[in-house]
Amino acid sequence: MTGAPGPRPPEWGPLPGHRAALRPATAADLPALVELLVDDPLGRHRESTADLAPYRSAFERIDADPAHLLVVAADGPDVVGTLQLSFLPGLARGGALRGQVEAVRVRADRRGQGLGGAMLRWVIEECRRQGATLVQLTSDRSRAEAHRFYAGLGFTASHTGFKLWL
C-alpha cells in the first residue's frame, strides 16, 4: 500500500454501521473523486471534470508522499465518500505531530446517514495510532451545516484562518 505515514498500515476496511469500507484511493478512482468535488456548492464553481490532468498530477504527488493519505469510502465498486489526511510534523506544542483533514466529501445520496461521521471517527483513530496530538481541519465560513457537523464530532472552532491566493 502506498501513502501510509507510519511503520504500520492504517486499519482499512468496513466502517462500523455502514456498507461502505475505507481504502486507499487509486488512480482509477480519480473521475469519481473529482465528481465528489464538483458535487458541492463551492466546488461546482472551482472544480471541473472537463480536464482530469491537473487532478491526476495532484493524485500522483499525494500518492507518492507517505505523509499523505487519499482515502475512499467505497460501497462495492461505487465511491461514496473521500477525504485527504496529511500528517504534519512541527516544532510547536513540544514537537507535536498534527493530522490535517482536507476535502471531506460524501456523495449526495449518502449524506445524512452517518457516513461522514464514521469517516472522521476513523481519521481520529488513525491520528491517534500515528501519534498525532491534534486533528485539525478548515471549513469555509459559509458552511454552517458542516460547522455543526464538525462540532458534533468534538471539533472546536478555535482559530481564525488566513489565505493568500498565488
Side-chain angles (χ1 to χ4, degrees):
M1 180 206 60
T2 60
R8 297 173 290 155
E11 299 300 322
W12 301 111
L15 287 166
H18 295 276
R19 295 187 321 241
L22 288 186
R23 62 170 173 78
T26 67
D29 296 320
L30 200 56
L33 296 175
V34 176
E35 285 289 343
L36 286 171
L37 296 174
V38 170
D39 181 31
D40 175 84
L42 298 177
R44 71 178 49 107
H45 301 292
R46 63 184 179 206
E47 309 293 346
S48 173
T49 58
D51 180 11
L52 294 181
Y55 299 99
R56 193 169 297 109
S57 176
F59 174 83
E60 290 167 359
R61 287 192 312 272
I62 294 164
D63 194 49
D65 188 333
H68 302 283
L69 297 168
L70 191 54
V71 177
V72 164
D75 185 356
D78 296 331
V79 173
V80 295
T82 187
L83 61 82
Q84 180 176 335
L85 174 58
S86 299
F87 290 93
L88 308 171
L91 292 178
R93 299 179 185 261
L97 180 67
R98 296 171 190 236
Q100 174 75 32
V101 185
E102 296 285 337
V104 178
R105 300 289 190 279
V106 173
R107 202 171 70 186
D109 64 332
R110 292 298 186 88
R111 293 181 194 143
Q113 300 173 20
L115 179 58
M119 290 167 54
L120 282 165
R121 283 187 291 280
W122 177 89
V123 162
I124 293 164
E125 288 309 310
E126 180 58 18
C127 287
R128 281 190 179 113
R129 193 181 71 74
Q130 293 292 339
T133 60
L134 181 70
V135 182
Q136 61 189 25
L137 55 83
T138 60
S139 180
D140 191 276
R141 258 185 274 185
S142 67
R143 295 184 185 272
E145 197 172 310
H147 301 168
R148 285 189 296 277
F149 166 73
Y150 294 128
L153 291 168
F155 288 84
T156 59
S158 62
H159 288 69
T160 299
F162 296 89
K163 293 182 180 180
L164 174 64
W165 295 102
L166 304 176

